[in-house]
Amino acid sequence: MTQPISVKPSTLITPYGGELVNLVVPPEAVNDLKAYASHLPSLQLSERSICDLELLASGGFSPLDRFMSQDDHQRVLEEMRLSSGHLFPIPVTLPADHGPAIHLDADVALRNAKNDLLAVMTIETVYEWDIVQVAQLVFGTLDVRHPLAEMHRWGKLNISGRLQVLQLPHHADFQELRLSPAQTRARLEAYGYENVVAFQTRNPLHRVHEELIKRATQRMDGVLLLHPVVGLTKPGDVDHYTRVRTYKALVQCADDADRLLLSLLPLAMRLAGPREALWHALIRRNYGANYLIVGRDHASPGIDSRGKPFYGPYDAQALVEQYSAELGVGVIPFEELVYLPDEDRYEEVSHVSSQARTASISGTQVRQEYLNKGRRLPDWFTRPEVAEILAEAYPPRHQQGVCIWFTGLSGAGKSTTAEVLAVLLLERGRQATVLDGDVVRTHLSKGLGFSKEDRDTNIRRIGFVAAEVVRHGGVAICAAVSPYRVTRNEVRDMVGQEHFIEVFVDTPLEVCEQRDAKGMYAKARRGEITGFTGIDDPYEPPTHPEITLDTVARTPEENAHRILAYLIQRGFVRADVRDKLLNEAPGLAEGDI
Ligand code: ADP
Ligand code: ADP
């Protein structure tokens, strides 16, 4: 006789809509579906859509079980509800462009950027969507500073239909912390509490966040689900590798680790403030939480192009509170917490007297005033364990990479100045790699000619190498004519605006021609070579170079010192005694010291 299996009733809140959606096909069906998909047209998903697919497939967006149809989409925009009536404040759509793969009742293979097969989708609806309407209704703004202004680059159609997911997107990092909704629920269940308080974050956790968490768990008798977003967050945020290291460090030193679960959420944030906060609550319910901490400026995209915040500081709290009963997720609200140095504690602003001294450090100050300058974050602001990880990930400026990009006519003096600069940097303890246009053409760009296309390819190759050098903390000194403005700007983007210094070697054509160190101008004038920059090919001078050099009135040494002084001023090089003396007495030459 078989024993009846007794299932212990769950202590946790049920998923929204009753049960967790699961779109992953059973293992025995995988091979057939893979074989079938190999005959289908493919659609490559963006990183954002892959995050969305993962949450759809694993039930994080329950009861939503597909990218939204037109009916769902329209009702979500207007009423924050699916056509079934369930709350859902954010559109989750699969944008695509017109193409042979996109037609009704066809199956399409969904793949990632590396072409790994993720899912098969049956296209049941195709519809156009209106970017202005989405921007206005979901984000409440058309401002281009909103991070979701990226919608301009999305496909003009949305497609929707049944999904059969072969595998959840693979993540090689922090696998022990990547728990699906079902796995998170199982882990939470084991703690044995009825209440689960979720904490959302996209930032490294400082003392203020710890204080929020501590106060919230004191208020509610339960487990804290520390649930940081590791999908897409706001461009410029601290990368998730660094953040997760800080979360792990915090969990290790937490007093109540037996009431804390750290799990990573592969969500692609929209930075939609209030609507996003409500979405966060819904998602956390699916992961087993019945409370969400919502403080000041939750899911905030910062300030718009007029310098005004996109949303009020407590708009998000108000919206989640409005729907809290219906959604079944309570809000644990917090006002802004500030630090009181005289009492060495944090307090909510409304409890602080107007005479009390308060202290705070903004995210920008953390980067500019502390990390870039190699200053340690103070103890009251960040735990030393966390400060150390941040200091490691964001070394001070003089250990960060930088690219000095010389541009100008042939014979202007780029290489000559670059060589002097390289020596000055080596003397001051910085490693420098010189990428000289002529030298690069003998190996990295061997075989390339001087057509516009080949010149651009050459510059992009130099830019690529420079970007790698800079990423690894080195100094890349590039000296190439680089005649086209657009290509130079492309390289600036590759390296990163903050780390790119364009030096315009502004030597008049007559001077270059007179110098004619390589005899090229003479050849060009005789017509023996064609397409020579300045003679029969254009040179587009930079419009906003960081530095412009005059090689007629100044020697290569003087010019190299000018660049060095600029690098010192920006913090990329530490001044030595001679630099300080030269600075104080500009009339001195280096040989005098
Ligand atoms: P998000 O952008 O998703 O809100 P953050 O990491 O910036 O992520 O914030 C996490 C949570 O902590 C949010 O609920 C936010 O409102 C709250 N929070 C952050 N800083 C403060 C603060 N100084 N006072 C009150 N709440 C805060
Ligand atoms: P580019 O790299 O811009 O093609 P080079 O540095 O190879 O130019 O050549 C510049 C030539 O001009 C060299 O022969 C150099 O000695 C000479 N020259 C004369 N005055 C200067 C100066 N002030 N700065 C740089 N080069 C100068």
Side-chain angles (χ1 to χ4, degrees):
M1 219 177 84
T2 50
Q3 291 287 322
I5 304 166
S6 74
V7 180
K8 211 172 123 217
S10 171
T11 50
L12 303 179
I13 186 167
T14 54
Y16 191 44
E19 57 188 55
L20 280 181
V21 167
N22 178 6
L23 303 179
V24 184
V25 297
E28 61 276 12
V30 167
N31 283 342
D32 283 354
L33 191 61
K34 256 191 194 160
Y36 171 64
S38 68
H39 302 287
L40 295 177
S42 294
L43 189 67
Q44 248 179 6
L45 299 194
S46 66
E47 223 185 313
R48 181 175 294 285
S49 294
I50 292 175
C51 289
D52 287 351
L53 180 70
E54 181 166 0
L55 284 184
L56 282 170
S58 62
F61 291 153
S62 301
L64 185 66
D65 65 355
R66 62 195 59 207
F67 291 104
M68 286 175 184
S69 66
Q70 189 163 18
D71 288 349
D72 281 339
H73 187 238
Q74 201 54 37
R75 202 159 165 203
V76 163
L77 295 186
E78 287 164 10
E79 298 173 49
M80 303 200 297
R81 288 180 193 278
L82 299 173
S83 46
S84 62
H86 287 98
L87 282 170
F88 210 102
I90 297 283
V92 174
T93 53
L94 183 55
D97 276 312
H98 289 280
I102 308 301
H103 57 90
L104 278 183
D105 300 324
D107 282 349
V108 59
L110 305 185
R111 298 178 186 275
N112 66 12
K114 288 183 291 173
N115 274 322
D116 299 325
L117 178 64
L118 299 174
V120 172
M121 176 168 156
T122 307
I123 305 179
E124 292 163 20
T125 51
V126 179
Y127 59 98
E128 290 185 357
W129 62 286
D130 179 351
I131 183 169
V132 173
Q133 192 187 33
V134 173
Q136 249 153 4
L137 293 176
V138 180
F139 303 105
T141 178
L142 295 176
D143 196 291
V144 291
R145 279 277 181 84
H146 194 286
L148 263 275
E150 68 156 57
M151 289 194 297
H152 281 287
R153 296 198 299 271
W154 296 2
K156 303 290 171 259
L157 302 173
N158 284 335
I159 58 175
S160 166
R162 186 167 88 103
L163 285 167
Q164 300 174 77
V165 178
L166 276 141
Q167 52 172 342
L168 292 179
H170 178 74
H171 303 285
D173 56 340
F174 305 116
Q175 288 183 334
E176 74 286 5
L177 299 176
R178 290 189 176 264
L179 307 178
S180 68
Q183 290 167 327
T184 310
R185 287 176 159 271
R187 294 281 282 276
L188 288 170
E189 202 89 56
Y191 286 76
Y193 289 92
E194 208 168 299
N195 288 327
V196 175
V197 179
F199 184 70
Q200 138 79 26
T201 184
R202 43 171 261 259
N203 282 311
L205 295 189
H206 301 296
R207 296 257 189 203
V208 68
H209 302 102
E210 281 188 68
E211 184 69 24
L212 287 177
I213 292 173
K214 199 172 85 195
R215 287 178 177 225
T217 15
Q218 275 165 2
R219 261 192 241 174
M220 307 305 310
D221 182 32
V223 198
L224 190 110
L225 173 61
L226 178 53
H227 214 198
V229 173
V230 295
L232 298 184
T233 64
K234 194 177 150 196
D237 279 350
V238 173
D239 67 273
H240 83 270
Y241 298 104
T242 307
R243 284 193 287 118
V244 176
R245 289 175 61 211
T246 68
Y247 306 141
K248 286 174 77 165
L250 270 187
V251 170
Q252 258 169 14
C253 47
D255 299 334
D256 43 8
D258 56 331
R259 285 172 54 165
L260 183 60
L261 177 64
L262 169 62
S263 165
L264 310 183
L265 179 66
L267 176 71
M269 286 181 72
R270 292 352 189 219
L271 281 316
R275 275 195 184 223
E276 174 117 10
L278 186 58
W279 196 39
H280 288 171
L282 184 158
I283 296 166
R284 271 36 180 251
R285 170 163 173 181
N286 289 324
Y287 280 84
N290 57 339
Y291 285 94
L292 175 71
I293 297 175
V294 186
R296 175 219 56 183
D297 285 333
H298 190 103
S300 160
I303 50 170
D304 66 17
S305 47
R306 293 166 309 156
K308 298 225 167 67
F310 282 98
Y311 312 110
Y314 301 105
D315 289 1
Q317 247 174 40
L319 192 75
V320 189
E321 266 162 359
Q322 188 184 335
Y323 289 97
S324 168
E326 178 179 349
L327 189 59
V329 179
V331 180
I332 306 195
F334 279 99
E335 289 178 0
E336 177 167 4
L337 280 177
V338 292
Y339 181 67
L340 304 172
D342 298 325
E343 299 169 46
D344 185 25
R345 67 183 183 91
Y346 283 86
E347 190 49 273
E348 288 188 83
V349 271
S350 65
H351 299 221
V352 174
S353 87
S354 53
Q355 284 93 47
R357 268 198 326 139
T358 63
S360 66
I361 303 177
S362 73
T364 316
Q365 284 172 320
V366 167
R367 275 195 310 278
Q368 292 180 355
E369 299 300 318
Y370 289 88
L371 300 176
N372 275 349
K373 294 188 174 161
R375 283 170 65 199
R376 264 306 154 96
L377 286 163
D379 240 28
W380 64 263
F381 183 75
T382 302
R383 268 181 194 270
E385 293 84 346
V386 172
E388 197 175 308
I389 293 169
L390 291 177
E392 225 175 80
Y394 293 87
R397 262 283 160 78
H398 70 269
Q399 287 169 7
Q400 289 175 17
V402 62
C403 170
I404 297 124
W405 188 279
F406 288 91
T407 172
L409 295 170
S410 173
K414 300 180 295 298
S415 309
T416 309
T417 317
E419 272 163 37
V420 182
L421 178 65
V423 171
L424 295 182
L425 291 174
L426 288 167
E427 274 187 351
R428 283 156 186 83
R430 290 232 58 166
Q431 296 303 317
T433 298
V434 179
L435 296 164
D436 186 287
D438 291 327
V439 182
V440 165
R441 279 180 177 274
T442 63
H443 41 81
L444 183 66
S445 288
K446 197 169 177 174
L448 288 183
F450 289 89
S451 66
K452 176 162 192 322
E453 203 173 57
D454 277 5
R455 281 171 185 260
D456 281 346
T457 306
N458 184 39
I459 296 308
R460 285 197 198 100
R461 284 185 192 172
I462 299 176
F464 174 81
V465 177
E468 286 301 300
V469 169
V470 169
R471 210 156 61 81
H472 292 285
V475 182
I477 304 179
C478 307
V481 176
S482 42
Y484 309 122
R485 205 172 284 142
V486 172
T487 324
R488 287 194 306 264
N489 285 342
E490 226 175 275
V491 174
R492 183 184 281 269
D493 288 341
M494 280 161 86
V495 172
Q497 165 73 24
E498 282 269 289
H499 298 261
F500 190 83
I501 292 159
E502 190 173 25
V503 180
F504 176 30
V505 187
D506 187 12
T507 310
L509 177 65
E510 312 79 73
V511 178
C512 297
E513 195 166 355
Q514 202 186 345
R515 289 179 187 164
D516 207 8
K518 298 161 211 158
M520 304 289 273
Y521 284 96
K523 282 191 189 169
R525 289 288 183 202
R526 290 197 299 269
E528 289 166 25
I529 46 174
T530 54
F532 194 73
T533 304
I535 305 296
D536 55 352
D537 213 62
Y539 177 81
E540 302 170 358
T543 38
H544 300 290
E546 275 74 9
I547 300 175
T548 300
L549 298 182
D550 176 347
T551 69
V552 176
R554 304 244 175 264
T555 66
E557 284 71 24
E558 284 170 336
N559 279 330
H561 271 285
R562 246 195 85 200
I563 302 171
L564 178 68
Y566 179 82
L567 292 172
I568 291 172
Q569 182 216 327
R570 290 275 304 268
F572 286 115
V573 177
R574 276 196 292 196
D576 68 12
V577 181
R578 286 167 307 163
D579 299 321
K580 284 178 188 144
L581 285 173
L582 281 173
N583 216 11
E584 281 157 21
L588 281 181
E590 197 179 6
D592 302 333
I593 299 169

